[in-house]
Amino acid sequence: MKSTKAYSAISETSALAASTIERRELTDRDVQMEILYCGVCHSDLHQVRNEWRDSMPTSYPCVPGHEIVGRVTGLGSAVTRFKSGDLAAIGCMVDSCGKCPPCLAKEEVYCEKSAVLTYNSPDRHTGGYTFGGYSEYIVVDERFCLRVPANLDPARVAPLLCAGITTYSPLRHWKVGPGQKVGVVGLGGLGHMGVKFAKAFGCEVVLFTTSPNKIEDGLRLGASQVVVSKDASQMTPHTGTFDFILDCVSADHDVNAYIRLLKRDRTLCLIGAPEKPLAVASFGLLFGRKRLSGSAIGGTEETQEMLDFCGKHGITADIELIPIQKVNEAYDRLLKSDVKYRFVIDLASLRA
Ligand SMILES: [Zn+2]
Ligand SMILES: [Zn+2]
């Protein structure tokens, strides 16, 4: 085991603080990476504060972070796809069974046996729990290590590993494309990537926000129209006109107001995870045979495809770079949606 500096929380009420964790020795198939940047995802905050205690209770100490970009500094003897000095990335997963139907389809996130998340999952190598990217170094199986396009700013790439793939995957799965009208609900870390991708896929993009002060930004990011969702007179004209709606909201909200906006047989996909169950009016789905669905992150193959797509189209996240010492402050600001649109930790601050 190797000691590594990290920021961790020791209980659901404690702030993140400097600590030391252990990383495993490299196996034949492992890549060791010096972490350069790690995005701050809303899931990090939920997990650190044990807000998903019913479905995914938190084990402490908790080192969050699953939007990781780093430099390869060590290789197991059987690693073939990376060499020392390569830029590489890790997203939300670091292991899976590799044998079940979703794994064989490279949709490891839906592994039926043992999907291992980048943090707070049982770790078969150490017998403990996985630790995420708010740390100096990480060791990961080559299968879950991704290539980073050389033309993109690595700090701005970090959020693509969760916010990026989480929005890219459902847009691809439901085959949104040119000529379609696509709604994106909520302009935060997820929503701003959703708008960029839907626009890059050739759709007419409408952004829904509760904040009139986000109109200008929504248009800048690629929406052709921004609707203030609290204003019924702005919502009503869109009734029954959407081919697809990507709901990126992590707070409690009225999903029925958006189901109403779908065309017949079309889909609303949830990618945010509100703490409490949402209320859904059946009639809203019955009349129009509409679908309410969900989507989680994306598999390794699709994540690589997304990164390559971003390289080709020059797409990255809008970020605010912070030293790790400001991460607790960043969490407070995240709760107030006071970030455009993703905090990214510069891990040089942890090494300093
Ligand atoms: Zn995330
Ligand atoms: Zn599996």
Side-chain angles (χ1 to χ4, degrees):
M1 302 279 260
K2 276 190 195 143
S3 291
T4 303
K5 286 187 197 172
Y7 256 54
S8 65
I10 53 167
S11 79
E12 63 187 62
T13 52
S14 56
L16 290 156
S19 62
T20 302
I21 55 166
E22 302 292 320
R23 295 290 188 194
R24 68 174 183 257
E25 295 292 340
L26 266 69
T27 70
D28 289 356
R29 292 165 25 152
D30 280 340
V31 172
Q32 177 188 281
M33 199 192 286
E34 176 188 42
I35 301 175
L36 301 175
Y37 302 103
C38 183
V40 175
C41 173
H42 213 113
S43 303
D44 300 352
L45 190 157
H46 283 300
Q47 201 73 67
V48 161
R49 299 187 178 175
N50 203 15
E51 287 169 355
W52 291 336
R53 55 176 62 74
D54 297 333
S55 46
M56 280 197 278
T58 306
S59 300
Y60 295 96
C62 175
V63 179
H66 58 202
E67 296 181 337
I68 300 167
V69 173
R71 183 82 58 192
V72 173
T73 51
L75 298 163
S77 57
V79 172
T80 56
R81 290 168 45 239
F82 294 90
K83 57 182 195 313
S84 205
D86 280 354
L87 260 191
I90 302 169
C92 305
M93 289 190 66
V94 289
D95 206 355
S96 72
C97 85
K99 297 182 183 102
C100 70
C103 279
L104 292 173
K106 297 281 180 195
E107 302 229 71
E108 301 91 344
V109 61
Y110 304 114
C111 175
E112 293 161 2
K113 296 206 176 78
S114 55
V116 179
L117 300 177
T118 304
Y119 60 88
N120 197 53
S121 272
D123 184 339
R124 70 184 162 95
H125 296 277
T126 64
Y129 283 80
T130 51
F131 294 128
Y134 296 11
S135 56
E136 257 190 304
Y137 286 95
I138 191 164
V139 174
V140 69
D141 189 309
E142 178 185 26
R143 290 183 298 136
F144 289 86
C145 206
L146 301 150
R147 292 180 307 280
V148 175
N151 60 321
L152 301 177
D153 173 352
R156 292 169 56 119
V157 166
L160 301 178
L161 279 303
C162 174
I165 186 60
T166 299
T167 48
Y168 182 93
S169 180
L171 293 171
R172 279 293 193 226
H173 181 79
W174 277 279
K175 300 183 170 56
V176 308
Q180 293 187 6
K181 184 175 172 187
V182 170
V184 175
V185 186
L187 185 56
L190 289 172
H192 97 289
M193 289 311 307
V195 170
K196 289 187 189 201
F197 283 132
K199 172 76 177 174
F201 294 164
C203 306
E204 177 196 348
V205 188
V206 178
L207 172 72
F208 296 92
T209 174
T210 51
S211 326
N213 60 16
K214 287 188 175 168
I215 292 173
E216 209 173 298
D217 250 18
L219 297 172
R220 175 181 63 82
L221 292 164
S224 60
Q225 218 184 118
V226 180
V227 171
V228 178
S229 54
K230 286 184 284 197
D231 181 350
S233 72
Q234 291 189 41
M235 292 286 278
T236 309
H238 292 279
T239 302
T241 63
F242 279 87
D243 292 288
F244 185 79
I245 297 178
L246 190 64
D247 184 335
C248 309
V249 180
S250 302
D252 190 24
H253 63 292
D254 179 18
V255 73
N256 304 296
Y258 298 100
I259 291 171
R260 205 172 290 141
L261 305 186
L262 290 171
K263 290 179 187 168
R264 176 173 51 85
D265 283 332
R266 299 308 202 274
T267 300
L268 181 144
C269 179
L270 301 173
I271 55 170
E275 208 175 327
K276 298 204 179 80
L278 297 171
V280 179
S282 320
F283 279 126
L285 293 171
L286 304 186
F287 292 103
R289 200 165 48 194
K290 297 171 184 178
R291 287 183 290 252
L292 176 61
S293 67
S295 177
I297 334 171
T300 50
E301 203 167 84
E302 195 174 44
T303 306
Q304 189 63 63
E305 175 195 307
M306 179 272 311
L307 287 168
D308 295 344
F309 181 88
C310 288
K312 199 169 161 199
H313 295 268
I315 295 174
T316 53
D318 288 22
I319 67 160
E320 186 176 326
L321 197 61
I322 57 165
I324 200 159
Q325 293 78 10
K326 296 253 185 197
V327 72
N328 293 300
E329 199 180 300
Y331 277 20
D332 292 338
R333 286 182 52 200
L334 192 57
L335 283 174
K336 293 181 228 150
S337 301
D338 175 22
V339 55
K340 287 182 175 174
Y341 279 92
R342 203 66 148 180
F343 290 111
V344 172
I345 300 167
D346 181 352
L347 270 309
S349 61
L350 184 60
R351 278 182 275 277

